[in-house]
Every structure is written in structure tokens, then in C-alpha cells.
Amino acid sequence: AGQVTEHDILPIFQNRCVICHGKRRQEGDLDLRTRESILRGGKSGPAIVLGKPDEGLLIKRVLAGDMPPVDQQLNLSVRPVTKGEIEKIKEWIKNGAPESPSSYYEIVRGPDRLVTEEDRKFWFFQPPRQPPVPTVKHAELVSNPIDAFLLEKLEAVELSYSPQADRATLLRRLTFDLTGLPPTPYEVDDFLRDDSPHAYEKAVRRLLASPRYGERWGAYWLDAAGYADSEGKRSADPFRPQSWRYRDYVVRSFNRDQTYDEFLVEQIAGDELVDYKGRKELNQHEIEKIVATGFLRQAPDGTGSGPVNFLPERWEVISDELEVLCTTVMATTITCAKCHSHKYDPIPQRDYYSLASVFRSALDPHDWFPPTRRYLDLTTPEERRAREEVNRQIDQRIAKLEEALEKVAAPLREKLLAERVAAIPESIRDDVRRAVTKPAPERDEVQKYLAKKFAEVFEIKNENLAEKYPEFKEAADKNSQKLQAATDERLKRPQIRALFELGGEPSPAYILSRGNPLLPGRLVEPKPLAVFSDPAHPYTVEKPWGHDGATGRRLAFAKWLTRPNHPATARVIVNRLWHHHFGRGIVETLGNFGHTGSPPTHPKLLDWLAVEFEARGQSLKEFHRLIVSSTAYR
């Protein structure tokens, strides 16, 4: 309601015009992304004339049906401008193209009217606080504080722990849990013969150091992230040739016991940690950080399958990526807030689009790269040298194959040439030979004529020999198969399937009415979910480096997410680890700690584990050691 202003108009141009007049492509040097660029106009002159809507070229071209072009109108994002939209643009121009007042923006500057302090009183939205370790009657059963918390509950109903498993069973349990494999007979024998008090600790240390540990526990993370080797979504289901790099990154991260906060930061904003612009080679440490962003490339993406690359399909990809992030890392369901404010948790629709805007510098529906273009052409010097050496050897094989075929071809080529020359009239035969063999710059006019007229006689290709001589065709066919096989073995330059900054300023983000990309509403700013906000640790965006390579939005979000005592982050990961050891999480719904999720069966233990996890440096291996060393586990 009220006066039509800038941010009532820009979404129309976003949905209809920026495909031809946006960041990547500016037909006629016309950019329709901002009020300033619209006023600047293009090659043909001013796009609009303030106060005179009918005199500007923009309205004239739209009314004539020239904009958007007919060949673009199959795309839902660039369907013809409606009459209502034209009238709205005219009104805006007539009133002098006014900017939007601050009241237009869905931006929180003071107390949040949509997420209140009362909303934040729910247990999950409060930071974890470590309770004191309980005192129990049977302290001899307590191997570490986990046992005290559990035993307190058991003793309250006059129960205690089951007897400890026998040693063979215990080793089998431990080995399956930490590596996904059974112990070998030799490992069982060694363990049973070792009667030292530290035998179990040594087994734990050996298994955590095994490469199989990273494969076992990395697989759990990959499952949560939705790891796949093809795009899904459409029946074409194209292959993801470089997805394995992210898989291997996860396995290596678990094996080297990378701290969980660093693990998350790299997966959310690894590309913003590396100034790779203008470089073709990075060191392995830098490459790893960029590969890590494959976490946000695991959701199905059908925008590269045929002509299905419209705004709704792009938003599907963004929505799926946000769901993976929020359920895996924050145990928060947010997809319903795409169309309306969450009916159970304090997540207004504004927050959904604010969070999406955090990732808009890499996932911008109005500056979209299909999956086949979301690769970075980067490598390490070691990879380059190894690739060049492999290809050098293959090229030598190819050269030998070509040389072998030429030995067969040479006498046949001479034979065919003799036959062709014999067919030239004898009176001009010598003149033709001289004309063809003489360097082109030295030929006179007659020789130029003869050389051109008889060029095909002296040009004998392998195809000509194959047509004439069956023995050559057979040799050429066999040689061709070997050449193709060798060529296919050549290593291409490595690429990284990553999420990365697209460069330049991302397009403005608006709340979408009912989640419809064609019904934008109020403008929102990039921010995380307000219910988890903490004035002591605000979401603060700083550019990672000076140039236009990155906005810093995702890096700021990653730091906000891994801040000390975040209500969600530590709780969610310790609950996942607990679930995979004991078969059920303290919160049974691993991806939903909200009002519709299961309540924690032991909230004090969950908070103690979350705070302890941070206190122990967020080491996953150390946390495994804590769990498997408990009496409860044994």
C-alpha cells in the first residue's frame, strides 16, 4: 500500500529482465539491477525519463513486445511483463523513481517483534550450561562423568548397570563401532592375551588411529549431508564426476581429527578462507578448504538437466541446501518458513529469506550457474607435475601408433599418387608437378592456377587410402581403436566441485509471498536465524580480503555458528555421536530439536556433553574416547 518505490520495481526487473540486462550479460550496455543503473541507461539512451513514463525507451520496448524477447518467454522467470506490472513501473517513473523508505525493509534494528524473549525460553534456544556431576551411591561404577549422570537415574529406581561384556564381545563391539569392521582373529588373540590394565585403552587408541575410522564415521556425516555421485531430481540424473573429492575430504578430516568448528567453517565458507582469484595452482592445504564447500553442493540439482532452469527450480536447489545445512548442523527444520512463518518454532518467514540471503553471494537465483559450471579449475603443483608425466608417457604411445600407421601408409600413398599423376594429360604433367612443388609465394599466375586446379590430386588423406586399399583400412581401424583408448587415458586438468562466490554484489533478497519466486515482497538483509542470536556474538560481515572476490557473508555465518556456547552446534553433534554409539540419540530426532522434535531423555547429560565437547577442543576422537571408556558403553 502507498507510493510505489524502488523495491517495488526492482523485483519485476529481476524476474523479467536481468537475464539480458544483469551482471553477466548487458545487452545494449543496459543494466536493470539497480535504480542508479536504470537511470544511467545504455547505448540507445536513457532507459526512463523521470516524470514522463511514456517517453522512456524501456516502457516503449516493453509495450511493443520486444522486451523480454520472445525466445526467452518459455522461461518462467522471463515471461512477458503483465499489465499490472507495467502500470506500477509507469507510476514509479511518473513520481520521479523514488527510493524505498526505511519502513519498506524487513530489518531488525531494535527489539525483534517477531522473535521474543519468551520464544527463546524453550530449552533448545538457550545456550547449554554444564551442570555439576551428580554424586551416586556406587561410585565404583563411575569410569567418567557420563556414568554418574546415567547411574543417578538408575539408582533413583533401584537399578544399576548390566554386567560388563566379556572381553571378546567388548573388542568386537568397539571395533565395529569405530571402524565398521570386525576384529581380525589375530587382534582378538592379542587383546585376550593382554592382561595389562591398559589393554582396552590401547585398543581404543589403535582403532582411532586406523584409516578405517575416518571411513566409518565420515560415512555418517556424508549420509547426513546427502552425499551422492549424481545430481538426481530429474530422470537424466547426470553424473557428478568430481563429487568424490568432497567424500575424501570428509574421510581425511575425521582421520586427522580436525576440530569440529574448523570442519564446519571450511564446509560453509572454505572458499572465503583462500584468496584464489587469478591463481591456477594452490597448495594442498588451500585446495582442501575449497573442496570442503562440496558440503553445500550435495542437494539434488536438476537445473542442468535439459531446459529446466527456471526460478522455481533454482529455488528448489537453494531450499534443499538450506534444509541440509539446518537439519544436519543446527537440528532445525526451516522449509515450512519458505511459504509462511513456522507454525511451531519461532522462525518467521523473514528469517528464512534472511538466511538464504547469507548464501546469495554463491547461490543467487538471478545469477545462476547450472551444476556443470559450478567448478573451479584449480590444482596443486604436485598434481600438475604428476598429470604431465602421465600424459607425456601416453603421448609417446600415441606418437608410436601414428608412426606405425604411417609406415603402412607411405608406400600406398606413393602408389596412389603415381596413379593420379598418370591420369594428368602428359602435355601439362611436368608443369603441374613444378607448380605444386614450388613455394606458394614464388609461383607465377599460371602456376597458381595449376596448383589450385590439381590440389586434390596431390592431397592424399588416410581416408583415400582406406577407400582404395582394404589392407590399409583394416590396419587403420585397429590403429584408431588403440589411439582412442590411449587418448581417453590422458588426464584432464583437475577441477573442484565447490560452492564459491560469484563475484560482484548479490541481487537484493525479498520475502516471497507463499514461497512463489514471482511474488516478491519486502526486502530482507542477510542474517542468521534470530532465535539463536546473541548480542555478545553478533553476526558481523567483513570482507575476507580487499578485492571483489568474496562478500564475507558465509564466513561470518560460519563464525557465528561456531561461536562459544552456541545453543545448537555442540548439542547437535554430540547427540549424533551418541546416537551412532548407542542406537538412539539423547534427542531421538537427530535433525529436529524444536517443538515438534523429541524432547531430550536426559537434558542435563546432553548439556554436560555439549559443554565438555567444547572444553576438550571439539576433538571428535577425544569424544569417542570419552564415550567408549564409560562403564555404560562397556
Side-chain angles (χ1 to χ4, degrees):
Q3 186 183 46
V4 176
T5 58
E6 170 190 9
H7 284 291
D8 295 308
I9 299 303
L10 291 183
I12 299 173
F13 295 145
Q14 271 190 356
N15 289 348
R16 308 284 189 262
C17 309
V18 297
I19 191 170
C20 296
H21 302 284
K23 185 192 295 185
R24 310 281 163 192
R25 178 181 170 193
Q26 294 178 2
E27 292 288 339
D29 288 344
L30 177 59
D31 183 353
L32 296 178
R33 289 178 297 157
T34 67
R35 179 180 181 274
E36 291 74 18
S37 64
I38 294 168
L39 293 174
R40 189 166 59 244
K43 282 182 180 178
S44 302
I48 62 174
V49 178
L50 295 181
K52 300 176 181 179
D54 294 325
E55 293 187 15
L57 287 173
L58 190 148
I59 291 293
K60 289 179 181 178
R61 297 290 300 278
V62 169
L63 290 175
D66 297 332
M67 291 176 59
V70 175
D71 63 346
Q72 296 288 354
Q73 291 179 12
L74 287 176
N75 188 324
L76 295 181
S77 68
V78 289
R79 66 182 184 180
V81 184
T82 66
K83 289 182 180 180
E85 289 170 338
I86 292 173
E87 291 305 314
K88 189 180 286 188
I89 297 170
K90 282 186 173 182
E91 183 182 345
W92 181 60
I93 297 170
K94 182 180 179 181
N95 294 330
E99 299 181 64
S100 294
S102 59
S103 60
Y104 182 90
Y105 296 68
E106 274 286 357
I107 292 177
V108 179
R109 293 288 181 248
D112 194 339
R113 62 186 175 84
L114 298 180
V115 181
T116 66
E117 289 307 312
E118 186 65 28
D119 292 326
R120 293 188 176 92
K121 288 182 179 178
F122 183 68
W123 73 269
F124 180 47
F125 306 133
Q126 293 288 315
R129 289 177 173 80
Q130 194 169 48
V133 178
T135 301
V136 295
K137 296 176 186 176
H138 297 284
E140 72 278 4
L141 296 177
V142 176
S143 298
N144 64 42
I146 289 174
D147 298 320
F149 281 101
L150 296 176
L151 198 56
E152 180 189 36
K153 294 267 190 175
L154 291 170
E155 290 182 344
V157 290
E158 298 183 354
L159 293 173
S160 185
Y161 288 125
S162 303
Q164 180 166 301
D166 65 79
R167 297 192 73 196
T169 300
L170 195 56
L171 182 65
R172 185 174 177 83
R173 176 188 304 170
L174 186 67
T175 310
F176 265 119
D177 275 3
L178 293 183
T179 68
L181 298 168
T184 67
Y186 302 105
E187 289 168 344
V188 174
D189 289 343
D190 287 346
F191 183 67
L192 294 179
R193 282 198 299 266
D194 188 349
D195 55 3
S196 73
H198 303 296
Y200 185 75
E201 293 174 19
K202 286 192 291 186
V204 172
R205 187 163 54 249
R206 173 178 60 80
L207 292 168
L208 288 175
S210 167
R212 306 290 83 78
Y213 159 77
E215 294 166 4
R216 169 67 160 176
W217 285 88
Y220 289 135
W221 183 265
L222 292 168
D223 286 345
Y227 176 82
D229 287 305
S230 62
E231 292 296 348
K233 209 72 174 181
R234 310 286 170 234
S235 57
D237 193 23
F239 181 56
R240 294 173 171 176
Q242 299 295 330
S243 194
W244 61 270
R245 289 182 181 274
Y246 173 69
R247 176 200 67 202
D248 288 5
Y249 160 82
V250 170
V251 172
R252 284 193 297 269
S253 295
F254 275 86
N255 274 333
R256 67 173 177 258
D257 198 22
Q258 184 177 27
T259 61
Y260 185 62
D261 55 349
E262 185 180 281
F263 183 57
L264 287 184
V265 169
E266 289 183 356
Q267 290 180 93
I268 293 168
D271 61 305
E272 294 192 275
L273 298 171
V274 181
D275 189 0
Y276 62 88
K277 296 288 184 176
R279 299 167 63 189
K280 285 292 185 182
E281 292 186 348
L282 306 176
N283 63 46
Q284 188 60 40
H285 186 62
E286 293 171 319
I287 288 283
E288 287 275 285
K289 294 183 187 309
I290 295 175
V291 169
T293 63
F295 172 62
L296 291 168
R297 292 289 316 279
Q298 295 307 315
D301 187 346
T303 59
S305 302
V308 189
N309 186 9
F310 309 149
L311 277 178
E313 283 75 27
R314 297 172 185 181
W315 268 106
E316 278 184 21
V317 179
I318 295 169
S319 179
D320 289 344
E321 297 291 7
L322 291 179
E323 185 70 8
V324 166
L325 170 71
C326 289
T327 56
T328 301
V329 180
M330 300 167 65
T332 302
T333 60
I334 63 164
T335 302
C336 44
K338 181 179 178 180
C339 299
H340 51 75
S341 291
H342 203 293
K343 294 188 180 297
Y344 301 99
D345 294 327
I347 303 174
Q349 193 182 17
R350 171 206 68 200
D351 282 12
Y352 181 91
Y353 290 99
S354 288
L355 181 60
S357 184
V358 169
F359 295 86
R360 208 175 183 90
S361 54
L363 291 170
D364 189 338
H366 303 290
D367 182 25
W368 192 257
F369 284 11
T372 50
R373 290 186 60 198
R374 289 188 183 273
Y375 287 88
L376 290 176
D377 188 17
L378 297 168
T379 187
T380 64
E382 294 78 13
E383 285 179 330
R384 175 181 53 78
R385 286 193 291 269
R387 186 182 72 255
E388 288 174 350
E389 176 58 25
V390 170
N391 287 345
R392 185 186 64 79
Q393 295 177 17
I394 293 172
D395 289 343
Q396 288 176 350
R397 284 165 49 200
I398 290 173
K400 288 180 179 178
L401 288 169
E402 290 173 341
E403 184 181 343
L405 184 63
E406 181 57 28
K407 286 183 179 179
V408 177
L412 296 176
R413 188 176 288 111
E414 289 295 325
K415 182 179 178 181
L416 181 57
L417 179 61
E419 291 179 10
R420 289 183 174 184
V421 171
I424 299 174
E426 188 176 355
S427 58
I428 61 170
R429 193 175 299 160
D430 291 338
D431 292 334
V432 171
R433 283 184 186 276
R434 282 191 293 271
V436 171
T437 55
K438 196 170 188 178
E442 299 177 12
R443 293 171 185 163
D444 59 27
E445 291 304 315
V446 173
Q447 290 172 330
K448 289 178 182 178
Y449 169 77
L450 291 173
K452 183 177 180 181
K453 182 175 178 60
F454 292 96
E456 290 186 4
V457 170
F458 292 86
E459 185 180 359
I460 299 178
K461 301 177 181 178
N462 283 356
E463 291 85 344
N464 305 132
L465 298 178
E467 291 174 3
K468 180 78 173 175
Y469 306 108
E471 64 273 25
F472 180 80
K473 184 178 186 306
E474 183 180 354
D477 288 345
K478 289 180 180 178
N479 189 274
S480 177
Q481 292 173 7
K482 293 177 181 179
L483 278 173
Q484 187 60 53
T487 302
D488 291 343
E489 289 178 24
R490 294 187 92 259
L491 299 180
K492 297 179 181 178
R493 185 181 180 88
Q495 288 184 312
I496 301 174
R497 177 187 170 83
L499 188 78
F500 50 85
E501 297 285 279
L502 301 177
E505 189 64 24
S507 63
Y510 303 90
I511 296 173
L512 303 183
S513 177
R514 300 190 297 278
N516 187 340
L518 303 181
L519 295 175
R522 287 187 178 275
L523 185 77
V524 294
E525 61 180 340
K527 288 186 77 173
L529 301 180
V531 72
F532 292 117
S533 64
D534 178 3
H537 299 91
Y539 173 72
T540 305
V541 178
E542 297 177 357
K543 283 201 171 188
W545 43 79
H547 61 67
D548 192 35
T551 62
R553 290 184 184 183
R554 283 180 291 121
L555 184 56
F557 174 77
K559 291 178 178 178
W560 171 89
L561 184 65
T562 55
R563 72 178 191 255
N565 224 23
H566 189 286
T569 313
R571 278 180 175 140
V572 172
I573 187 59
V574 299
N575 187 66
R576 284 187 177 277
L577 297 175
W578 187 275
H579 163 83
H580 291 304
H581 276 298
F582 290 104
R584 188 176 71 178
I586 298 173
V587 177
E588 194 166 0
T589 49
L590 302 186
N592 183 5
F593 280 25
H595 286 83
T596 58
S598 300
T601 55
H602 204 318
K604 287 184 179 180
L605 176 58
L606 179 63
D607 276 11
W608 186 89
L609 291 170
V611 176
E612 187 69 14
F613 178 68
E614 290 193 357
R616 294 184 180 222
Q618 302 198 29
S619 163
L620 296 175
K621 286 189 177 182
E622 185 63 26
F623 195 77
H624 288 298
R625 186 176 287 108
L626 177 69
I627 289 179
V628 301
S629 298
S630 66
T631 303
Y633 178 83
R634 289 183 287 180

